[in-house]
Amino acid sequence: MKVSVRFYAMSRDLAGASERELELPSGTTLSIALEQLFQDVPALKVLRTSSLFAVGLDYVSHDTVLEAGNVISFIPPVQGG
Amino acid sequence: MKVSVRFYAMSRDLAGASERELELPSGTTLSIALEQLFQDVPALKVLRTSSLFAVGLDYVSHDTVLEAGNVISFIPPVQGG
Amino acid sequence: MSTQIEIVLTPINREQYAVKSPPHNAGAIVEFFGVVREDEAGSAIQGIDYEAFRDMAEHQLQLLIQKAIGDHDLLDMLCVHRIGFVPVGAPSLYIRITSSHRAEAFAAMTEFIDKLKKLVPIWKHPIPKDQE
Amino acid sequence: MSTQIEIVLTPINREQYAVKSPPHNAGAIVEFFGVVREDEAGSAIQGIDYEAFRDMAEHQLQLLIQKAIGDHDLLDMLCVHRIGFVPVGAPSLYIRITSSHRAEAFAAMTEFIDKLKKLVPIWKHPIPKDQE
């Protein structure tokens, strides 16, 4: 199945793109998907522990099972206010 | 010497007046002056522990030595805001 | 720095006190309005008549503001208290604090209000709803 | 109750969000403005360019507001965040909380801001002073 990952702020700078597709076995968790992402784009690893991840508009935990077509957002430390 | 005491809110209601003069020996402390006031106007005693006292515009402690012409303010619990 | 205090007999008009341009090291502005509630000690009221020992209230507010500014390194502070009759729903108190960081402004604000309610000689006379 | 959130690209105009008449059980209104400071991490700036994942930011703000209202029994709450370029001295954030008593409003406000700064997907790009 295909999912896409969208990047913002520092994650976009490090990824060199604002979006990227991942091809994953169905039933893959976010955790596994991120492993693949960090393998494909090692520069993103520096944000690994400080970032949060969303599917759609909601934050999700690493054990979330992804579905085809999911849009994952890579949310580096936010700085609003 | 003469000093005056001004009353506000509940202290005015209990004193039945907004001001009262006290005739005191010179060198009298606020503490002694209040004893005389409570003797003259026993109704005020209910406010004894909850009230604060000022000379002029500043709060003073009970051991303050009064001077002729001082204006003492009898400040029952305040309720601003 | 344009510290001020004011005790007014007319409605508090926030616009009158608007900051045209905050100091460039300002990072936080916290404003507080204390509003007269529809009930006082369980009874419906039409408003509160505030009595003040006005000169002393102004002096004590000034002392509290100076202390707040010193203790919390504030950039600016303003306090307006309305006295006389204040109807339900209208503000009786308006405070504005400007500081570099928000933590200082919130700490100063809550401390200042607590002290105001102990030390500033202003008293409430609630006016019951059914009284003309 | 008229809860709202707004993410805007234009200056925050407080008047636009003015409470015409607060609910009659309102006793406290607390307002917060987060203002862009003249320096960011020690360097002089002309302003900050705020980037947002806008749909998610609105959704997350809405979740945080619902939680604040529930946790603190608030009467009303509003949050406006400006994005895009915000010059030094201008507010990037405006929050207003209305409650019966002030303690609830202050507690809700500080908690809400802390969470906003952890969970709402908005990022700062400071623009140095000497950059055109």
Side-chain angles (χ1 to χ4, degrees), chain C residues 6-59:
Chain C
E6 217 170 320
I7 291 184
V8 298
L9 279 154
T10 48
I12 294 175
N13 173 10
R14 179 190 177 282
E15 300 328 308
Q16 190 184 328
Y17 308 104
V19 201
K20 294 304 175 222
S21 50
H24 274 186
N25 46 348
I29 303 173
V30 177
E31 303 190 33
F32 174 76
F33 293 87
V35 176
V36 174
R37 271 191 306 275
E38 63 192 341
D39 68 300
E40 179 75 19
S43 300
I45 61 168
Q46 52 182 293
I48 291 178
D49 191 26
Y50 284 94
E51 172 187 351
F53 175 6
R54 194 163 168 168
D55 286 351
M56 182 170 169
E58 287 179 354
H59 175 64

Side-chain angles (χ1 to χ4, degrees), chain A residues 9 12 57-59 76 79 81, chain D residues 50-51 59-60 81 119 122:
Chain A
R12 187 185 50 236
L57 306 182
D58 287 294
Y59 288 108
Q79 304 164 308
Chain D
Y50 284 93
E51 172 187 350
H59 175 65
Q60 293 294 323
H81 203 305
L119 294 173
I122 296 177

Side-chain angles (χ1 to χ4, degrees), chain B residues 36-53:
Chain B
Q36 183 172 324
L37 176 67
F38 291 130
Q39 211 159 22
D40 295 355
V41 192
L44 285 168
K45 281 187 197 168
V46 297
L47 292 176
R48 186 181 209 141
T49 55
S50 59
S51 296
L52 296 173
F53 298 89

Side-chain angles (χ1 to χ4, degrees), chain B residues 6-10 12-13 52-54 56-59 73-81, chain C residues 34 50-53 55-56 59-60 63 81 92-93 116-125:
Chain B
R6 289 199 184 143
F7 302 105
Y8 297 89
M10 201 194 291
R12 185 184 54 237
D13 296 345
L52 296 173
F53 298 89
L57 306 183
D58 286 293
Y59 288 108
S73 289
F74 194 119
I75 309 285
V78 306
Q79 304 164 308
Chain C
Y50 284 94
E51 172 187 351
F53 175 6
D55 286 351
M56 182 170 169
H59 175 64
Q60 292 295 323
L63 292 178
H81 203 305
S92 53
L93 178 62
L116 180 155
K117 287 176 178 278
K118 284 184 191 134
L119 294 173
V120 176
I122 296 178
W123 298 272
K124 288 178 178 177
H125 300 287

